[in-house]
PDB file of all heavy atoms in Angstrom:
ATOM      1  N   TRP L 305     103.748  84.439  76.732  1.00 98.00           N
ATOM      2  CA  TRP L 305     105.104  84.729  77.191  1.00 98.00           C
ATOM      3  C   TRP L 305     106.061  83.615  76.762  1.00 98.00           C
ATOM      4  O   TRP L 305     105.883  82.458  77.109  1.00 98.00           O
ATOM      5  CB  TRP L 305     105.129  84.885  78.724  1.00 98.00           C
ATOM      6  CG  TRP L 305     106.463  85.311  79.225  1.00 98.00           C
ATOM      7  CD1 TRP L 305     107.358  84.570  79.923  1.00 98.00           C
ATOM      8  CD2 TRP L 305     107.055  86.606  79.039  1.00 98.00           C
ATOM      9  NE1 TRP L 305     108.483  85.323  80.185  1.00 98.00           N
ATOM     10  CE2 TRP L 305     108.323  86.567  79.658  1.00 98.00           C
ATOM     11  CE3 TRP L 305     106.632  87.785  78.412  1.00 98.00           C
ATOM     12  CZ2 TRP L 305     109.172  87.681  79.661  1.00 98.00           C
ATOM     13  CZ3 TRP L 305     107.477  88.885  78.423  1.00 98.00           C
ATOM     14  CH2 TRP L 305     108.724  88.827  79.040  1.00 98.00           C
ATOM     15  N   PRO L 306     107.119  83.942  76.004  1.00 96.00           N
ATOM     16  CA  PRO L 306     108.007  82.902  75.486  1.00 96.00           C
ATOM     17  C   PRO L 306     108.993  82.341  76.514  1.00 96.00           C
ATOM     18  O   PRO L 306     109.510  81.240  76.338  1.00 96.00           O
ATOM     19  CB  PRO L 306     108.769  83.624  74.363  1.00 96.00           C
ATOM     20  CG  PRO L 306     108.691  85.079  74.703  1.00 96.00           C
ATOM     21  CD  PRO L 306     107.445  85.283  75.504  1.00 96.00           C
ATOM     22  N   GLY L 307     109.230  83.081  77.571  1.00 97.00           N
ATOM     23  CA  GLY L 307     110.185  82.616  78.580  1.00 97.00           C
ATOM     24  C   GLY L 307     109.500  81.775  79.647  1.00 97.00           C
ATOM     25  O   GLY L 307     108.332  81.409  79.526  1.00 97.00           O
ATOM     26  N   ASP L 308     110.245  81.473  80.709  1.00 98.00           N
ATOM     27  CA  ASP L 308     109.650  80.748  81.833  1.00 98.00           C
ATOM     28  C   ASP L 308     108.682  81.665  82.565  1.00 98.00           C
ATOM     29  O   ASP L 308     108.927  82.875  82.697  1.00 98.00           O
ATOM     30  CB  ASP L 308     110.738  80.287  82.808  1.00 98.00           C
ATOM     31  CG  ASP L 308     111.458  79.054  82.307  1.00 98.00           C
ATOM     32  OD1 ASP L 308     111.010  78.492  81.284  1.00 98.00           O
ATOM     33  OD2 ASP L 308     112.461  78.666  82.923  1.00 98.00           O
ATOM     34  N   LEU L 309     107.630  81.074  83.060  1.00 98.00           N
ATOM     35  CA  LEU L 309     106.657  81.831  83.837  1.00 98.00           C
ATOM     36  C   LEU L 309     106.026  80.879  84.839  1.00 98.00           C
ATOM     37  O   LEU L 309     105.711  79.737  84.502  1.00 98.00           O
ATOM     38  CB  LEU L 309     105.592  82.420  82.899  1.00 98.00           C
ATOM     39  CG  LEU L 309     104.486  83.267  83.538  1.00 98.00           C
ATOM     40  CD1 LEU L 309     104.050  84.388  82.580  1.00 98.00           C
ATOM     41  CD2 LEU L 309     103.261  82.427  83.898  1.00 98.00           C
ATOM     42  N   LEU L 310     105.889  81.331  86.073  1.00 98.00           N
ATOM     43  CA  LEU L 310     105.164  80.538  87.066  1.00 98.00           C
ATOM     44  C   LEU L 310     104.236  81.466  87.829  1.00 98.00           C
ATOM     45  O   LEU L 310     104.670  82.473  88.385  1.00 98.00           O
ATOM     46  CB  LEU L 310     106.141  79.852  88.043  1.00 98.00           C
ATOM     47  CG  LEU L 310     105.474  78.978  89.107  1.00 98.00           C
ATOM     48  CD1 LEU L 310     104.732  77.791  88.478  1.00 98.00           C
ATOM     49  CD2 LEU L 310     106.500  78.468  90.117  1.00 98.00           C
ATOM     50  N   LEU L 311     102.953  81.127  87.794  1.00 99.00           N
ATOM     51  CA  LEU L 311     101.955  81.864  88.563  1.00 99.00           C
ATOM     52  C   LEU L 311     101.681  81.071  89.840  1.00 99.00           C
ATOM     53  O   LEU L 311     101.156  79.956  89.785  1.00 99.00           O
ATOM     54  CB  LEU L 311     100.673  82.028  87.728  1.00 99.00           C
ATOM     55  CG  LEU L 311      99.448  82.629  88.411  1.00 99.00           C
ATOM     56  CD1 LEU L 311      99.751  83.963  89.065  1.00 99.00           C
ATOM     57  CD2 LEU L 311      98.310  82.793  87.396  1.00 99.00           C
ATOM     58  N   VAL L 312     102.081  81.652  90.957  1.00 99.00           N
ATOM     59  CA  VAL L 312     101.867  81.017  92.258  1.00 99.00           C
ATOM     60  C   VAL L 312     100.709  81.751  92.916  1.00 99.00           C
ATOM     61  O   VAL L 312     100.808  82.955  93.168  1.00 99.00           O
ATOM     62  CB  VAL L 312     103.123  81.145  93.149  1.00 99.00           C
ATOM     63  CG1 VAL L 312     102.884  80.486  94.506  1.00 99.00           C
ATOM     64  CG2 VAL L 312     104.345  80.558  92.463  1.00 99.00           C
ATOM     65  N   THR L 313      99.620  81.044  93.171  1.00 98.00           N
ATOM     66  CA  THR L 313      98.517  81.739  93.837  1.00 98.00           C
ATOM     67  C   THR L 313      98.321  81.205  95.242  1.00 98.00           C
ATOM     68  O   THR L 313      98.468  80.010  95.498  1.00 98.00           O
ATOM     69  CB  THR L 313      97.202  81.661  93.028  1.00 98.00           C
ATOM     70  OG1 THR L 313      96.244  82.516  93.657  1.00 98.00           O
ATOM     71  CG2 THR L 313      96.644  80.246  92.941  1.00 98.00           C
ATOM     72  N   GLN L 314      98.005  82.151  96.143  1.00 98.00           N
ATOM     73  CA  GLN L 314      97.612  81.765  97.508  1.00 98.00           C
ATOM     74  C   GLN L 314      96.120  81.479  97.547  1.00 98.00           C
ATOM     75  O   GLN L 314      95.600  81.017  98.556  1.00 98.00           O
ATOM     76  CB  GLN L 314      97.924  82.905  98.480  1.00 98.00           C
ATOM     77  CG  GLN L 314      99.387  83.267  98.569  1.00 98.00           C
ATOM     78  CD  GLN L 314      99.578  84.562  99.350  1.00 98.00           C
ATOM     79  OE1 GLN L 314      99.681  84.576 100.568  1.00 98.00           O
ATOM     80  NE2 GLN L 314      99.623  85.679  98.642  1.00 98.00           N
ATOM     81  N   ASN L 315      95.442  81.762  96.440  1.00 97.00           N
ATOM     82  CA  ASN L 315      93.984  81.671  96.444  1.00 97.00           C
ATOM     83  C   ASN L 315      93.506  80.240  96.266  1.00 97.00           C
ATOM     84  O   ASN L 315      94.067  79.486  95.469  1.00 97.00           O
ATOM     85  CB  ASN L 315      93.396  82.558  95.342  1.00 97.00           C
ATOM     86  CG  ASN L 315      93.725  84.015  95.561  1.00 97.00           C
ATOM     87  OD1 ASN L 315      94.108  84.398  96.665  1.00 97.00           O
ATOM     88  ND2 ASN L 315      93.594  84.831  94.533  1.00 97.00           N
ATOM     89  N   VAL L 316      92.447  79.925  96.971  1.00 97.00           N
ATOM     90  CA  VAL L 316      91.883  78.575  96.873  1.00 97.00           C
ATOM     91  C   VAL L 316      90.686  78.553  95.922  1.00 97.00           C
ATOM     92  O   VAL L 316      90.100  77.499  95.699  1.00 97.00           O
ATOM     93  CB  VAL L 316      91.509  78.027  98.278  1.00 97.00           C
ATOM     94  CG1 VAL L 316      92.769  77.861  99.113  1.00 97.00           C
ATOM     95  CG2 VAL L 316      90.506  78.926  98.990  1.00 97.00           C
ATOM     96  N   ASP L 317      90.329  79.709  95.365  1.00 97.00           N
ATOM     97  CA  ASP L 317      89.302  79.708  94.316  1.00 97.00           C
ATOM     98  C   ASP L 317      89.933  79.199  93.019  1.00 97.00           C
ATOM     99  O   ASP L 317      91.142  78.969  92.943  1.00 97.00           O
ATOM    100  CB  ASP L 317      88.689  81.123  94.142  1.00 97.00           C
ATOM    101  CG  ASP L 317      89.695  82.147  93.624  1.00 97.00           C
ATOM    102  OD1 ASP L 317      90.371  81.885  92.607  1.00 97.00           O
ATOM    103  OD2 ASP L 317      89.803  83.252  94.219  1.00 97.00           O
ATOM    104  N   ASP L 318      89.083  79.012  91.998  1.00 98.00           N
ATOM    105  CA  ASP L 318      89.594  78.444  90.738  1.00 98.00           C
ATOM    106  C   ASP L 318      89.548  79.455  89.586  1.00 98.00           C
ATOM    107  O   ASP L 318      89.416  79.077  88.428  1.00 98.00           O
ATOM    108  CB  ASP L 318      88.816  77.170  90.368  1.00 98.00           C
ATOM    109  CG  ASP L 318      87.329  77.433  90.204  1.00 98.00           C
ATOM    110  OD1 ASP L 318      86.879  78.568  90.490  1.00 98.00           O
ATOM    111  OD2 ASP L 318      86.610  76.509  89.781  1.00 98.00           O
ATOM    112  N   LEU L 319      89.637  80.746  89.936  1.00 98.00           N
ATOM    113  CA  LEU L 319      89.458  81.766  88.900  1.00 98.00           C
ATOM    114  C   LEU L 319      90.649  81.859  87.942  1.00 98.00           C
ATOM    115  O   LEU L 319      90.459  82.137  86.753  1.00 98.00           O
ATOM    116  CB  LEU L 319      89.150  83.121  89.550  1.00 98.00           C
ATOM    117  CG  LEU L 319      87.800  83.133  90.295  1.00 98.00           C
ATOM    118  CD1 LEU L 319      87.565  84.478  90.990  1.00 98.00           C
ATOM    119  CD2 LEU L 319      86.646  82.827  89.355  1.00 98.00           C
ATOM    120  N   HIS L 320      91.868  81.618  88.427  1.00 98.00           N
ATOM    121  CA  HIS L 320      93.004  81.569  87.495  1.00 98.00           C
ATOM    122  C   HIS L 320      92.855  80.384  86.534  1.00 98.00           C
ATOM    123  O   HIS L 320      93.123  80.503  85.339  1.00 98.00           O
ATOM    124  CB  HIS L 320      94.325  81.408  88.247  1.00 98.00           C
ATOM    125  CG  HIS L 320      94.826  82.649  88.913  1.00 98.00           C
ATOM    126  ND1 HIS L 320      95.023  83.833  88.227  1.00 98.00           N
ATOM    127  CD2 HIS L 320      95.199  82.894  90.187  1.00 98.00           C
ATOM    128  CE1 HIS L 320      95.486  84.749  89.065  1.00 98.00           C
ATOM    129  NE2 HIS L 320      95.605  84.202  90.256  1.00 98.00           N
ATOM    130  N   ASP L 321      92.416  79.249  87.085  1.00 98.00           N
ATOM    131  CA  ASP L 321      92.246  78.047  86.251  1.00 98.00           C
ATOM    132  C   ASP L 321      91.195  78.325  85.174  1.00 98.00           C
ATOM    133  O   ASP L 321      91.399  78.017  83.990  1.00 98.00           O
ATOM    134  CB  ASP L 321      91.758  76.855  87.088  1.00 98.00           C
ATOM    135  CG  ASP L 321      92.574  76.664  88.348  1.00 98.00           C
ATOM    136  OD1 ASP L 321      92.542  77.558  89.228  1.00 98.00           O
ATOM    137  OD2 ASP L 321      93.238  75.625  88.469  1.00 98.00           O
ATOM    138  N   ARG L 322      90.067  78.905  85.597  1.00 98.00           N
ATOM    139  CA  ARG L 322      88.976  79.135  84.644  1.00 98.00           C
ATOM    140  C   ARG L 322      89.332  80.203  83.616  1.00 98.00           C
ATOM    141  O   ARG L 322      88.822  80.186  82.499  1.00 98.00           O
ATOM    142  CB  ARG L 322      87.694  79.510  85.391  1.00 98.00           C
ATOM    143  CG  ARG L 322      86.999  78.274  85.953  1.00 98.00           C
ATOM    144  CD  ARG L 322      85.577  78.613  86.299  1.00 98.00           C
ATOM    145  NE  ARG L 322      85.441  78.971  87.691  1.00 98.00           N
ATOM    146  CZ  ARG L 322      84.472  79.734  88.189  1.00 98.00           C
ATOM    147  NH1 ARG L 322      83.552  80.251  87.387  1.00 98.00           N
ATOM    148  NH2 ARG L 322      84.411  79.994  89.470  1.00 98.00           N
ATOM    149  N   ALA L 323      90.204  81.135  83.998  1.00 98.00           N
ATOM    150  CA  ALA L 323      90.649  82.145  83.023  1.00 98.00           C
ATOM    151  C   ALA L 323      91.567  81.513  81.976  1.00 98.00           C
ATOM    152  O   ALA L 323      91.730  82.060  80.885  1.00 98.00           O
ATOM    153  CB  ALA L 323      91.365  83.290  83.734  1.00 98.00           C
ATOM    154  N   GLY L 324      92.187  80.384  82.321  1.00 98.00           N
ATOM    155  CA  GLY L 324      93.017  79.683  81.331  1.00 98.00           C
ATOM    156  C   GLY L 324      94.504  79.635  81.655  1.00 98.00           C
ATOM    157  O   GLY L 324      95.294  79.193  80.824  1.00 98.00           O
ATOM    158  N   SER L 325      94.900  80.063  82.848  1.00 98.00           N
ATOM    159  CA  SER L 325      96.328  79.965  83.205  1.00 98.00           C
ATOM    160  C   SER L 325      96.721  78.494  83.329  1.00 98.00           C
ATOM    161  O   SER L 325      96.012  77.703  83.951  1.00 98.00           O
ATOM    162  CB  SER L 325      96.602  80.683  84.537  1.00 98.00           C
ATOM    163  OG  SER L 325      96.683  82.072  84.329  1.00 98.00           O
ATOM    164  N   GLN L 326      97.857  78.151  82.742  1.00 98.00           N
ATOM    165  CA  GLN L 326      98.335  76.753  82.759  1.00 98.00           C
ATOM    166  C   GLN L 326      99.533  76.587  83.681  1.00 98.00           C
ATOM    167  O   GLN L 326      99.632  75.609  84.403  1.00 98.00           O
ATOM    168  CB  GLN L 326      98.769  76.336  81.347  1.00 98.00           C
ATOM    169  CG  GLN L 326      97.691  76.474  80.292  1.00 98.00           C
ATOM    170  CD  GLN L 326      96.818  75.240  80.218  1.00 98.00           C
ATOM    171  OE1 GLN L 326      97.280  74.146  80.510  1.00 98.00           O
ATOM    172  NE2 GLN L 326      95.559  75.432  79.853  1.00 98.00           N
ATOM    173  N   ARG L 327     100.449  77.547  83.598  1.00 98.00           N
ATOM    174  CA  ARG L 327     101.661  77.445  84.419  1.00 98.00           C
ATOM    175  C   ARG L 327     101.330  78.007  85.807  1.00 98.00           C
ATOM    176  O   ARG L 327     101.763  79.074  86.188  1.00 98.00           O
ATOM    177  CB  ARG L 327     102.813  78.181  83.741  1.00 98.00           C
ATOM    178  CG  ARG L 327     103.246  77.484  82.452  1.00 98.00           C
ATOM    179  CD  ARG L 327     104.379  78.195  81.764  1.00 98.00           C
ATOM    180  NE  ARG L 327     103.924  79.256  80.876  1.00 98.00           N
ATOM    181  CZ  ARG L 327     104.739  79.992  80.117  1.00 98.00           C
ATOM    182  NH1 ARG L 327     106.045  79.790  80.154  1.00 98.00           N
ATOM    183  NH2 ARG L 327     104.248  80.929  79.322  1.00 98.00           N
ATOM    184  N   LEU L 328     100.506  77.248  86.526  1.00 98.00           N
ATOM    185  CA  LEU L 328      99.831  77.726  87.728  1.00 98.00           C
ATOM    186  C   LEU L 328     100.015  76.741  88.867  1.00 98.00           C
ATOM    187  O   LEU L 328      99.922  75.531  88.663  1.00 98.00           O
ATOM    188  CB  LEU L 328      98.334  77.872  87.408  1.00 98.00           C
ATOM    189  CG  LEU L 328      97.357  78.088  88.563  1.00 98.00           C
ATOM    190  CD1 LEU L 328      97.602  79.451  89.215  1.00 98.00           C
ATOM    191  CD2 LEU L 328      95.920  78.013  88.046  1.00 98.00           C
ATOM    192  N   LEU L 329     100.237  77.276  90.040  1.00 98.00           N
ATOM    193  CA  LEU L 329     100.424  76.421  91.220  1.00 98.00           C
ATOM    194  C   LEU L 329      99.624  77.025  92.383  1.00 98.00           C
ATOM    195  O   LEU L 329      99.740  78.210  92.668  1.00 98.00           O
ATOM    196  CB  LEU L 329     101.917  76.437  91.482  1.00 98.00           C
ATOM    197  CG  LEU L 329     102.631  75.673  92.530  1.00 98.00           C
ATOM    198  CD1 LEU L 329     104.101  75.598  92.144  1.00 98.00           C
ATOM    199  CD2 LEU L 329     102.469  76.356  93.851  1.00 98.00           C
ATOM    200  N   HIS L 330      98.783  76.195  93.016  1.00 98.00           N
ATOM    201  CA  HIS L 330      97.966  76.642  94.156  1.00 98.00           C
ATOM    202  C   HIS L 330      98.707  76.299  95.448  1.00 98.00           C
ATOM    203  O   HIS L 330      98.572  75.198  95.967  1.00 98.00           O
ATOM    204  CB  HIS L 330      96.609  75.934  94.148  1.00 98.00           C
ATOM    205  CG  HIS L 330      95.625  76.474  93.167  1.00 98.00           C
ATOM    206  ND1 HIS L 330      94.735  77.484  93.476  1.00 98.00           N
ATOM    207  CD2 HIS L 330      95.375  76.146  91.881  1.00 98.00           C
ATOM    208  CE1 HIS L 330      93.977  77.744  92.421  1.00 98.00           C
ATOM    209  NE2 HIS L 330      94.348  76.950  91.430  1.00 98.00           N
ATOM    210  N   MET L 331      99.480  77.242  95.978  1.00 98.00           N
ATOM    211  CA  MET L 331     100.325  76.895  97.136  1.00 98.00           C
ATOM    212  C   MET L 331      99.530  76.673  98.423  1.00 98.00           C
ATOM    213  O   MET L 331     100.024  76.036  99.343  1.00 98.00           O
ATOM    214  CB  MET L 331     101.420  77.951  97.351  1.00 98.00           C
ATOM    215  CG  MET L 331     100.931  79.303  97.784  1.00 98.00           C
ATOM    216  SD  MET L 331     102.303  80.447  98.151  1.00 98.00           S
ATOM    217  CE  MET L 331     102.967  79.764  99.666  1.00 98.00           C
ATOM    218  N   HIS L 332      98.296  77.207  98.510  1.00 98.00           N
ATOM    219  CA  HIS L 332      97.469  77.015  99.706  1.00 98.00           C
ATOM    220  C   HIS L 332      96.315  76.049  99.454  1.00 98.00           C
ATOM    221  O   HIS L 332      95.350  76.033 100.219  1.00 98.00           O
ATOM    222  CB  HIS L 332      96.926  78.360 100.204  1.00 98.00           C
ATOM    223  CG  HIS L 332      97.980  79.223 100.846  1.00 98.00           C
ATOM    224  ND1 HIS L 332      97.801  80.560 101.131  1.00 98.00           N
ATOM    225  CD2 HIS L 332      99.239  78.923 101.263  1.00 98.00           C
ATOM    226  CE1 HIS L 332      98.901  81.055 101.696  1.00 98.00           C
ATOM    227  NE2 HIS L 332      99.794  80.087 101.776  1.00 98.00           N
ATOM    228  N   GLY L 333      96.395  75.267  98.365  1.00 98.00           N
ATOM    229  CA  GLY L 333      95.359  74.283  98.087  1.00 98.00           C
ATOM    230  C   GLY L 333      94.211  74.850  97.274  1.00 98.00           C
ATOM    231  O   GLY L 333      94.290  75.968  96.745  1.00 98.00           O
ATOM    232  N   GLU L 334      93.134  74.056  97.164  1.00 98.00           N
ATOM    233  CA  GLU L 334      92.020  74.422  96.292  1.00 98.00           C
ATOM    234  C   GLU L 334      90.692  74.004  96.921  1.00 98.00           C
ATOM    235  O   GLU L 334      90.556  72.888  97.415  1.00 98.00           O
ATOM    236  CB  GLU L 334      92.151  73.699  94.953  1.00 98.00           C
ATOM    237  CG  GLU L 334      93.392  74.071  94.173  1.00 98.00           C
ATOM    238  CD  GLU L 334      93.536  73.216  92.922  1.00 98.00           C
ATOM    239  OE1 GLU L 334      92.695  73.347  92.025  1.00 98.00           O
ATOM    240  OE2 GLU L 334      94.473  72.408  92.879  1.00 98.00           O
TER     241      GLU L 334
END
Side-chain angles (χ1 to χ4, degrees):
W305 186 251
D308 282 352
L309 181 147
L310 181 64
L311 173 54
V312 180
T313 188
Q314 298 170 87
N315 298 343
V316 295
D317 65 51
D318 59 354
L319 295 177
H320 284 305
D321 311 65
R322 280 197 265 156
S325 281
Q326 303 273 331
R327 292 180 274 183
L328 168 67
L329 183 161
H330 282 270
M331 67 175 289
H332 288 167
E334 297 174 66

